[in-house]
Amino acid sequence: MNYIIINSRDQVLRLELSKIVYCEADGNYSKIVMSNKLKSVVTLGLSNLEKAIAEQLKEEAAIFMRVGKRFIINRKYIYEVNIAKQHLVLSDFGHFAFQLPVSKAALKQVKELLINLKE
């Protein structure tokens, strides 16, 4: 499956998986940020969005990763993990870079994941 359908109270979005950079919690809403810098706000909390991703994508959901309480990220866009400065940079290495404020504990998990993927 190359797309995910996000069905919330007021809208339906059809999003190409490879273009989703990250999702950010905003109370009972979630902001979805795409690689073309389009941003959509949906009336789903981040936990419900995470469930929708898991249900629709099954094994393919592994391209996404929950990072702390605020973010779900697309693992292919991880560019920099800076634990000291407490930020994560997501980039396509050409057109965009998003810097996200993330807790040290969550960043350590991301760092471990990257190190283990390399081995």
Side-chain angles (χ1 to χ4, degrees):
M1 176 185 289
N2 295 326
Y3 293 89
I4 185 169
I5 305 297
I6 304 296
N7 184 12
S8 66
R9 186 183 69 219
D10 299 325
Q11 70 192 75
V12 174
L13 293 173
R14 180 176 173 258
L15 304 172
E16 189 175 341
L17 296 177
S18 64
K19 305 278 193 232
I20 299 171
V21 179
Y22 71 94
C23 306
E24 181 176 6
D26 187 7
N28 292 329
Y29 299 88
S30 295
K31 178 171 64 173
I32 301 171
V33 180
M34 307 297 288
S35 60
N36 61 3
K37 299 182 184 169
L38 273 179
K39 296 176 183 173
S40 300
V41 176
V42 295
T43 54
L44 286 174
L46 202 60
S47 292
N48 289 330
L49 185 57
E50 190 174 28
K51 284 179 197 167
I53 289 169
E55 288 170 4
Q56 288 186 48
L57 301 182
K58 312 286 187 244
E59 309 86 40
E60 291 180 49
I63 68 165
F64 295 102
M65 170 183 191
R66 180 79 181 247
V67 178
K69 294 179 179 176
R70 283 183 57 193
F71 300 103
I72 296 172
I73 65 166
N74 187 328
R75 293 163 39 160
K76 81 173 194 172
Y77 290 115
I78 297 171
Y79 170 71
E80 178 187 7
V81 177
N82 191 319
I83 296 169
K85 293 182 180 177
Q86 288 187 258
H87 71 241
L88 173 66
V89 178
L90 303 176
S91 178
D92 68 347
F93 307 100
H95 300 95
F96 68 82
F98 297 105
Q99 183 172 304
L100 310 178
V102 179
S103 72
K104 286 184 180 183
L107 287 172
K108 285 178 183 176
Q109 289 178 326
V110 176
K111 181 181 174 186
E112 286 300 313
L113 171 89
L114 284 178
I115 290 168
N116 291 332
L117 282 178
K118 191 181 84 175
E119 295 173 352

